[in-house]
Amino acid sequence: MRSWAIIAAGLLAAGSAHGAMARTISVTAGPDAQTRLQLALIEAVSGDVVEIGAGTFDLTDGLNLDADGVIVRGAGAERTILNFAGQLGAGEGLLVTGDHVVLRDFTVRDTRGDGIKSKQAHNIVYLNLRVDWSGEPKATNGAYGVYPVESENVLIDGVFVRGASDAGIYVGQSRNIIVRDSVAVQNVAGIEIENSFNADVHDNVATGNAGGILVFDLPGLPQQGGHNVRVFDNVIINNMTPNFAPAGNIVASVPTGTGVIIMANRDVEVFDNIFDGNGTADVLISGYRYGAAPAGYSPAPQRVRILANIHGRSGFEPGPQFPGGAQMAAAMGGSLPPIIWDGSGSEIRVSDTVHVASLGLPDLSQSRDAANPTMVDLTGDAPWSRLPAITLPAAMEAAANQP
């Protein structure tokens, strides 16, 4: 690898030559790809395009982009492969900390850590990307495929993720989010919205994961109080991959065979989705049951609305992470109902014409072993307003519509 002195010299030369016109900085596959690609990301300034050519780029270290207003563009997810199988460190493949960045049309493969992470990167677009890990899903895979965190205005569009040991598509501690037209397969969680405000998750496929789509709020993070999340027009089917999360990870408790889990969030809507082939349940609604809730944290779900979904076969093989699931299914005629609520929180409404079970655990200090499941009717008036659609800045939508 070239020394950073050579990179610095290149930067000085580029800086003196850079005029008012934006540039396209092209990087081709081949020897010394690590240094040449990182140099291009360092050189790039607002308005520049870093164009990664077709081919496989064998990389040994993570990449970083700090500049605002840069487009990083490959030749297509099937043609441009950033291969991290030889990565020496344990970090992410690509870390972005600049605002107004567009990442598009390439694959990140076999990172030791997360695939693509952006932190405090506002107005960021993830477009037509693929992140995957080779072989069968395993706990040693990176935790997250795409991982925007602590950001405002996030668009994830046309992304495919396979094999993440936590969540394939994860958005955490962020505001104003759209996840659409994406595919999550064979991850622990397909898509996860965590501790975030104002999110639309729609027109995605979550299949073959342990859990399809999670809407979580957890204590101990800088942003708490997740709310205003809509999950709609998704296909959430056959999420029966055994949970392969590392022991101790909170998603290790996600029951294999779950479609959607809503935990400790308020103002959540799940509607117009297609569910089928989820062996535990299509929808689980729960409070936070992992110890005493710290001050300032609301551990119970509130104002959750489930409506107009299509339900196929479900509840036929409860995951081992669902205590007493097999016994409960036997007592209920061989399968669990499609929708299960732990009994905590308030203003839970279900309009879908399927059975709903309550576990009868309104006190979040109660163990799940104390469950007393009964069928419940959660229809009735929902006296609060429907959630509005999320609108992102026009420039982000324009970037997503560029060929």
Side-chain angles (χ1 to χ4, degrees):
M1 182 183 296
R2 296 178 185 174
S3 72
W4 286 105
I6 296 175
I7 291 179
L11 278 174
L12 288 173
S16 62
H18 193 278
M21 298 296 292
R23 301 171 302 168
T24 296
I25 306 171
S26 297
V27 185
T28 59
D32 212 16
Q34 176 78 49
T35 300
R36 291 185 291 106
L37 182 50
Q38 182 59 75
L39 176 60
L41 295 172
I42 294 172
E43 286 183 343
V45 298
S46 183
D48 285 349
V49 176
V50 176
E51 188 172 74
I52 311 174
T56 297
F57 292 70
D58 292 317
L59 304 171
T60 57
D61 200 0
L63 302 167
N64 296 276
L65 174 64
D66 298 329
D68 298 342
V70 173
I71 298 173
V72 181
R73 181 177 64 205
E78 300 302 321
R79 300 182 64 207
T80 299
I81 313 296
L82 305 185
N83 175 32
F84 289 87
Q87 186 176 7
L88 301 177
E92 55 278 324
L94 173 61
L95 173 63
V96 177
T97 53
D99 298 338
H100 306 283
V101 168
V102 178
L103 308 172
R104 59 175 300 169
D105 302 320
F106 58 88
T107 286
V108 169
R109 178 162 294 156
D110 289 333
T111 55
R112 294 188 64 184
D114 307 319
I116 306 172
K117 179 179 180 179
S118 54
K119 184 173 183 179
Q120 297 178 356
H122 308 304
N123 294 18
I124 188 164
V125 177
Y126 290 75
L127 180 65
N128 300 336
L129 300 168
R130 180 180 177 112
V131 179
D132 60 24
W133 285 267
S134 302
E136 292 301 310
K138 51 190 178 295
T140 54
N141 289 352
Y144 303 110
V146 297
Y147 179 20
V149 64
E150 298 178 23
S151 301
E152 184 168 351
N153 299 327
V154 175
L155 175 58
I156 297 173
D157 187 350
V159 170
F160 178 97
V161 184
R162 175 190 177 275
S165 65
D166 193 306
I169 296 171
Y170 171 98
V171 186
Q173 302 172 66
S174 296
R175 300 168 182 256
N176 304 336
I177 301 147
I178 295 178
V179 180
R180 69 188 182 205
D181 296 319
S182 295
V183 177
V185 57
Q186 289 189 308
N187 309 284
V188 174
I191 301 170
E192 181 174 0
I193 306 297
E194 184 177 280
N195 290 59
S196 290
F197 310 161
N198 309 326
D200 275 353
V201 180
H202 69 89
D203 292 286
N204 305 288
V205 176
T207 185
N209 308 286
I213 300 177
L214 312 185
V215 183
F216 276 15
D217 195 71
L218 303 177
L221 296 174
Q223 178 170 294
Q224 295 177 174
H227 64 276
N228 288 17
V229 179
R230 304 193 310 163
V231 177
F232 62 98
D233 288 336
N234 302 286
V235 176
I236 307 167
I237 61 173
N238 301 326
N239 289 290
M240 293 296 293
T241 293
N243 190 318
F244 59 96
N249 190 320
I250 194 163
V251 296
S253 65
V254 169
T256 297
T258 308
V260 170
I261 304 179
I262 301 163
M263 185 175 72
N265 261 252
R266 60 182 170 85
D267 296 301
V268 178
E269 295 180 354
V270 178
F271 61 96
D272 291 338
N273 300 286
I274 296 173
F275 293 98
D276 190 29
N278 302 307
T280 296
D282 289 337
V283 182
L284 290 178
I285 306 166
S286 174
Y288 178 83
R289 295 183 177 274
Y290 300 91
Y297 171 68
S298 298
Q302 296 178 311
R303 292 190 297 276
V304 175
R305 194 193 309 249
I306 313 295
L307 69 159
N309 299 289
I310 296 172
H311 297 268
R313 184 173 179 240
S314 68
F316 51 87
E317 187 179 337
Q321 303 83 3
F322 190 79
Q327 295 85 343
M328 193 183 306
M332 292 182 168
S335 64
L336 298 177
I339 301 175
I340 300 175
W341 171 42
D342 71 350
S344 69
S346 61
E347 297 181 297
I348 312 298
R349 298 289 185 272
V350 178
S351 300
D352 291 355
T353 55
V354 295
H355 291 301
V356 181
S358 169
L359 300 183
L361 299 171
D363 184 346
L364 289 168
S365 67
Q366 292 176 281
S367 167
R368 289 176 180 169
D369 295 335
N372 181 26
T374 58
M375 295 299 183
V376 292
D377 182 357
L378 297 179
T379 60
D381 293 336
W384 61 95
S385 299
R386 293 294 301 270
L387 297 174
I390 302 304
T391 302
L392 295 175
M396 296 178 66
E397 292 289 358
N401 290 321
Q402 288 292 318

